[in-house]
């Protein structure tokens, strides 16, 4: 089982973490990222499309990346916070042969 809380977490945080269905959340987040197709998306885009889940979706990016389901591209975009966020895209779109190397690095067409 994957541990979803810190060693010093209080009992309410532990209970909340244990109630999360990781597979369900990863599926939801993956489908959202995948829906952007070849254009990719940044974290803010995912949060905008899934507001009912709050920042719980952002914890799924690393797991999806480790499973090889998404790719984080080198290109960034300024987010609402003023900080830069990396583009992400579904691996199936990243691997398409009709995407040029430049587009793969950008993570987004027209950026």
């Amino acid at each position: 089982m994957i541990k979803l809380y810190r060693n010093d977490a209080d009992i309410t945080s532990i209970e909340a973490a244990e109630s999360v269905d990781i597979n369900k959340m990863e599926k939801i987040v993956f489908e959202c990222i995948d829906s952007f197709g070849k254009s990719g998306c940044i974290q803010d885009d995912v949060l905008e499309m899934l507001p009912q889940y709050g920042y719980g979706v952002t914890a799924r990016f690393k797991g999806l990346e480790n499973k090889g389901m998404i790719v984080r591209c080198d290109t960034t975009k300024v987010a609402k916070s003023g900080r830069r966020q990396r583009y992400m895209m579904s691996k199936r779109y990243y691997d398409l042969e009709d995407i040029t190397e430049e587009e793969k690095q950008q993570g987004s067409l027209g950026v």
Side-chain angles (χ1 to χ4, degrees), residues 25-92:
M25 283 301 296
E26 282 187 350
K27 182 179 186 296
I28 291 167
V29 173
F30 173 75
E31 288 173 352
C32 178
I33 294 170
D34 190 62
S35 74
F36 284 90
K38 294 191 303 184
S39 62
C41 62
I42 61 170
Q43 174 180 305
D44 280 2
D45 298 327
V46 176
L47 290 170
E48 189 173 303
M49 290 196 62
L50 302 173
Q52 67 274 34
Y53 298 106
Y55 284 94
V57 300
T58 62
R60 306 287 67 89
F61 300 151
K62 184 68 173 170
L64 291 170
E65 185 177 26
N66 288 344
K67 291 178 180 179
M69 296 176 72
I70 67 168
V71 176
R72 294 191 200 207
C73 305
D74 291 335
T75 300
T76 61
K77 176 181 174 182
V78 176
K80 293 176 186 177
S81 66
R83 293 184 174 182
R84 301 193 74 74
Q85 294 178 354
R86 290 173 65 185
Y87 271 90
M88 302 174 281
M89 69 169 43
S90 167
K91 182 98 166 74
R92 73 185 186 120

